Amino acid sequence: EVQLVESGGGLVQPGGSLRLSCAASGFTFDDYGMSWVRQAPAKGLEWVSAINWNGGMTYYAESMKGRFTISRDNAKNTLYLQMNSLKSEDTAVYYCAKRGLSSLDYWGQGTQVTVSS
């Protein structure tokens, strides 16, 4: 059974940093690309970032470039998202998701990030 479990969310002040983690199990982690997606209150899903199977290629939404860094540790079956210079508009539930053949086919339960003073 595929499982994705996010952690690391919380309350942080504007300008602060957080590191999210996503522990993966139930599939061969280093065979698949992974993504982070977020959902702000009363808004739709927003793609944040993606990484290929070995971490050699990374992709970011325009508003996250230079502030967020996606990475992975295949030995630990874990995906990360380092978030710096956080803004109030980054407040959202953050999900990690596994890339399937043509879509994100498995999602975690999400972790709440709240940016507020």
Side-chain angles (χ1 to χ4, degrees):
E1 177 189 4
V2 172
Q3 287 195 324
L4 299 169
V5 180
E6 300 94 337
S7 60
L11 174 64
V12 62
Q13 293 187 341
S17 298
L18 279 177
R19 188 195 197 199
L20 306 184
S21 299
C22 172
S25 62
F27 65 102
T28 306
F29 184 65
D30 56 9
D31 275 353
Y32 295 92
M34 298 291 294
S35 289
W36 288 98
V37 180
R38 70 185 185 185
Q39 186 167 27
K43 293 189 177 180
L45 294 171
E46 179 184 22
W47 174 77
V48 173
S49 182
I51 190 167
N52 75 330
W53 68 276
N54 67 353
M57 299 183 71
T58 58
Y59 310 89
Y60 299 92
E62 195 63 35
S63 61
M64 288 72 163
K65 286 181 180 177
R67 299 190 301 123
F68 291 10
T69 302
I70 190 171
S71 62
R72 64 191 296 161
D73 185 336
N74 286 347
K76 295 182 178 179
N77 286 359
T78 302
L79 176 73
Y80 302 100
L81 185 68
Q82 177 68 44
M83 304 186 296
N84 299 328
S85 303
L86 284 163
K87 308 174 182 179
S88 58
E89 52 262 44
D90 294 318
T91 294
V93 177
Y94 284 73
Y95 301 92
C96 69
K98 169 184 167 291
R99 287 188 62 191
L101 288 178
S102 59
S103 64
L104 300 177
D105 56 2
Y106 289 92
W107 297 64
Q109 84 290 346
T111 186
Q112 176 70 48
V113 171
T114 302
V115 184
S116 175
S117 56

